[in-house]
Protein backbone atom coordinates (compact mmCIF):
# COMPACT_ATOMS: atom_id res chain seq x y z
CA UNK A 1 0.00 0.00 0.00
CA UNK A 2 2.84 2.41 0.85
CA UNK A 3 4.50 1.88 -2.54
CA UNK A 4 1.31 2.95 -4.33
CA UNK A 5 1.14 6.20 -2.37
CA UNK A 6 4.80 6.96 -3.04
CA UNK A 7 4.33 6.22 -6.76
CA UNK A 8 1.32 8.57 -6.91
CA UNK A 9 3.27 11.48 -5.39
CA UNK A 10 6.29 10.73 -7.57
CA UNK A 11 4.25 10.70 -10.80
CA UNK A 12 1.96 13.64 -9.87
CA UNK A 13 2.28 16.53 -12.34
CA UNK A 14 5.32 14.87 -13.90
CA UNK A 15 4.90 16.33 -17.42
CA UNK A 16 4.66 19.91 -16.16
CA UNK A 17 7.77 19.50 -14.02
CA UNK A 18 9.71 18.03 -16.99
CA UNK A 19 8.69 20.87 -19.36
CA UNK A 20 9.64 23.45 -16.73
CA UNK A 21 13.13 21.95 -16.40
CA UNK A 22 13.58 21.71 -20.17
CA UNK A 23 12.47 25.29 -20.82
CA UNK A 24 14.91 26.76 -18.28
CA UNK A 25 17.75 28.76 -19.76
CA UNK A 26 20.86 26.66 -20.26
CA UNK A 27 24.01 27.68 -18.41
CA UNK A 28 26.60 29.36 -20.57
CA UNK A 29 29.91 27.63 -21.18
CA UNK A 30 33.04 29.14 -19.68
CA UNK A 31 35.03 31.35 -22.05
CA UNK A 32 37.98 29.79 -23.82
CA UNK A 33 41.45 30.97 -22.92
CA UNK A 34 43.46 32.71 -25.58
CA UNK A 35 46.26 30.57 -27.01
CA UNK A 36 49.34 32.24 -28.37
CA UNK A 37 50.41 30.33 -31.47
CA UNK A 38 53.96 30.84 -32.75
CA UNK A 39 54.19 32.60 -36.07
CA UNK A 40 54.29 30.36 -39.10
CA UNK A 41 57.79 31.61 -40.06
CA UNK A 42 59.25 30.10 -36.88
CA UNK A 43 57.49 26.82 -37.60
CA UNK A 44 59.05 26.60 -41.05
CA UNK A 45 62.53 27.19 -39.55
CA UNK A 46 62.00 24.35 -37.07
CA UNK A 47 60.86 22.02 -39.84
CA UNK A 48 63.90 22.93 -41.95
CA UNK A 49 66.32 22.34 -39.06
CA UNK A 50 64.80 18.93 -38.37
CA UNK A 51 65.00 17.83 -42.00
CA UNK A 52 68.53 19.18 -42.55
CA UNK A 53 71.41 16.67 -42.37
CA UNK A 54 74.10 17.30 -39.78
CA UNK A 55 77.34 16.16 -41.47
CA UNK A 56 79.62 16.08 -38.37
CA UNK A 57 77.12 13.85 -36.57
CA UNK A 58 76.85 11.56 -39.62
CA UNK A 59 80.65 11.22 -39.72
CA UNK A 60 80.75 10.30 -36.04
CA UNK A 61 77.99 7.77 -36.61
CA UNK A 62 79.89 6.15 -39.48
CA UNK A 63 82.98 5.78 -37.27
CA UNK A 64 81.05 3.87 -34.60
CA UNK A 65 81.30 0.08 -34.87
CA UNK A 66 79.31 -2.17 -32.56
CA UNK A 67 79.93 -5.87 -31.99
CA UNK A 68 77.23 -7.73 -30.11
CA UNK A 69 76.40 -11.28 -29.17
CA UNK A 70 72.97 -12.61 -28.46
CA UNK A 71 72.65 -13.05 -24.66
CA UNK A 72 69.64 -15.34 -25.10
CA UNK A 73 71.72 -17.87 -27.05
CA UNK A 74 74.46 -17.86 -24.39
CA UNK A 75 71.88 -18.28 -21.65
CA UNK A 76 70.25 -21.18 -23.53
CA UNK A 77 73.60 -22.95 -23.83
CA UNK A 78 74.33 -22.60 -20.11
CA UNK A 79 70.80 -23.76 -19.18
CA UNK A 80 71.21 -26.86 -21.39
CA UNK A 81 74.53 -27.64 -19.69
CA UNK A 82 72.93 -27.22 -16.28
CA UNK A 83 70.02 -29.47 -17.25
CA UNK A 84 72.42 -32.19 -18.43
CA UNK A 85 74.46 -31.96 -15.24
CA UNK A 86 71.29 -32.03 -13.09
CA UNK A 87 70.05 -35.14 -14.89
CA UNK A 88 73.32 -36.86 -14.09
CA UNK A 89 73.00 -35.95 -10.38
CA UNK A 90 70.37 -38.39 -9.19
CA UNK A 91 70.25 -40.51 -6.07
CA UNK A 92 68.41 -43.77 -5.35
CA UNK A 93 65.34 -43.73 -3.13
CA UNK A 94 65.96 -44.25 0.58
CA UNK A 95 62.39 -45.16 1.46
CA UNK A 96 59.22 -45.87 -0.51
CA UNK A 97 55.80 -47.33 0.14
CA UNK A 98 55.26 -50.98 -0.78
CA UNK A 99 53.04 -51.74 -3.74
CA UNK A 100 51.73 -49.39 -6.36
CA UNK A 101 50.29 -46.37 -4.46
CA UNK A 102 47.67 -44.30 -6.26
CA UNK A 103 48.22 -46.20 -9.51
CA UNK A 104 51.47 -44.32 -10.22
CA UNK A 105 54.67 -45.76 -11.58
CA UNK A 106 57.14 -46.53 -8.78
CA UNK A 107 60.15 -44.22 -8.79
CA UNK A 108 63.62 -45.69 -8.55
CA UNK A 109 65.70 -42.53 -8.27
CA UNK A 110 65.22 -38.84 -7.44
CA UNK A 111 67.28 -35.75 -8.40
CA UNK A 112 69.68 -34.58 -5.71
CA UNK A 113 68.15 -31.81 -3.60
CA UNK A 114 64.62 -33.24 -3.99
CA UNK A 115 62.48 -35.53 -1.84
CA UNK A 116 59.48 -37.70 -2.50
CA UNK A 117 56.46 -37.29 -0.22
CA UNK A 118 57.16 -40.56 1.55
CA UNK A 119 60.81 -39.63 2.13
CA UNK A 120 59.82 -36.20 3.44
CA UNK A 121 57.29 -37.69 5.87
CA UNK A 122 59.80 -40.32 6.98
CA UNK A 123 62.50 -37.68 7.59
CA UNK A 124 60.09 -35.39 9.46
CA UNK A 125 58.72 -38.17 11.67
CA UNK A 126 62.18 -39.57 12.45
CA UNK A 127 63.38 -36.08 13.44
CA UNK A 128 60.25 -35.59 15.54
CA UNK A 129 60.68 -38.89 17.42
CA UNK A 130 64.49 -38.84 17.76
CA UNK A 131 65.79 -35.25 17.36
CA UNK A 132 69.20 -36.08 18.90
CA UNK A 133 70.04 -38.74 16.31
CA UNK A 134 68.22 -37.23 13.31
CA UNK A 135 69.71 -33.74 13.31
CA UNK A 136 69.21 -31.38 10.33
CA UNK A 137 72.80 -32.04 9.27
CA UNK A 138 72.28 -35.81 9.22
CA UNK A 139 69.00 -35.50 7.28
CA UNK A 140 70.65 -33.15 4.76
CA UNK A 141 73.52 -35.60 4.27
CA UNK A 142 71.26 -38.66 4.11
CA UNK A 143 68.91 -37.24 1.45
CA UNK A 144 71.43 -35.00 -0.43
CA UNK A 145 69.71 -31.73 0.51
CA UNK A 146 70.93 -28.23 1.27
CA UNK A 147 71.35 -27.60 5.00
CA UNK A 148 69.40 -24.32 4.79
CA UNK A 149 66.46 -26.04 3.07
CA UNK A 150 66.54 -28.91 5.57
CA UNK A 151 66.42 -26.52 8.54
CA UNK A 152 63.49 -24.67 6.96
CA UNK A 153 61.71 -27.98 6.28
CA UNK A 154 62.09 -29.10 9.90
CA UNK A 155 61.03 -25.72 11.25
CA UNK A 156 57.95 -25.05 9.14
CA UNK A 157 56.54 -28.51 8.31
CA UNK A 158 55.13 -30.87 10.92
CA UNK A 159 53.62 -34.26 10.02
CA UNK A 160 50.08 -34.98 11.15
CA UNK A 161 49.53 -36.56 14.53
CA UNK A 162 46.29 -38.33 15.32
CA UNK A 163 45.31 -37.83 18.93
CA UNK A 164 42.21 -39.42 20.38
CA UNK A 165 40.93 -37.39 23.30
CA UNK A 166 38.99 -39.49 25.84
CA UNK A 167 35.41 -38.31 26.50
CA UNK A 168 34.52 -36.65 29.78
CA UNK A 169 31.76 -39.16 30.48
CA UNK A 170 32.04 -42.93 30.46
CA UNK A 171 28.88 -43.65 28.44
CA UNK A 172 29.68 -41.31 25.51
CA UNK A 173 30.26 -42.89 22.11
CA UNK A 174 33.91 -43.04 21.15
CA UNK A 175 35.93 -44.13 18.13
CA UNK A 176 38.21 -47.00 19.06
CA UNK A 177 41.89 -46.59 18.12
CA UNK A 178 43.05 -49.17 15.61
Amino acid sequence: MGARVVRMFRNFNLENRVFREISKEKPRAAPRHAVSLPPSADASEVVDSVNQKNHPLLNHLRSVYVESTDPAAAAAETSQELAQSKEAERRPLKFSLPGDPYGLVELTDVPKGKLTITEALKALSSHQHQPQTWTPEKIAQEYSLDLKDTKALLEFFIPFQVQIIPPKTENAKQIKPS
Side-chain angles (χ1 to χ4, degrees), residues 105-142:
V105 177
E106 186 65 29
L107 296 174
T108 57
D109 59 345
V110 178
K112 287 189 177 181
K114 305 275 186 192
L115 287 175
T116 62
I117 294 174
T118 55
E119 286 178 332
L121 289 175
K122 178 75 173 170
L124 288 171
S125 64
S126 61
H127 174 73
Q128 190 175 26
H129 293 299
Q130 300 169 342
Q132 290 81 17
T133 58
W134 286 97
T135 61
E137 292 81 15
K138 181 177 179 183
I139 292 173
Q141 180 186 8
E142 186 78 20

Side-chain angles (χ1 to χ4, degrees), residues 7-75:
R7 194 177 310 121
M8 276 183 17
F9 281 114
R10 189 176 57 214
N11 293 337
F12 177 74
N13 203 11
L14 183 67
E15 287 183 23
N16 288 340
R17 287 186 286 149
V18 168
F19 283 126
R20 191 177 331 134
E21 283 296 319
I22 291 174
S23 63
K24 279 186 182 176
E25 216 174 293
K26 310 296 185 278
R28 287 188 22 203
R32 303 264 179 201
H33 293 285
V35 178
S36 60
L37 294 174
S40 60
D42 292 338
S44 64
E45 290 175 11
V46 170
V47 171
D48 289 341
S49 67
V50 167
N51 291 333
Q52 185 179 9
K53 289 185 180 180
N54 193 337
H55 292 289
L57 289 177
L58 283 174
N59 290 334
H60 287 301
L61 184 62
R62 286 187 185 113
S63 67
V64 172
Y65 180 74
V66 177
E67 266 187 46
S68 67
T69 58
D70 190 11

Side-chain angles (χ1 to χ4, degrees), residues 81-91 109-112:
E81 292 170 4
L82 285 174
Q84 290 172 354
S85 65
K86 291 265 185 193
E87 288 175 4
E89 296 179 10
R90 296 183 73 86
R91 63 171 181 79
D109 59 345
V110 178
K112 287 189 177 181

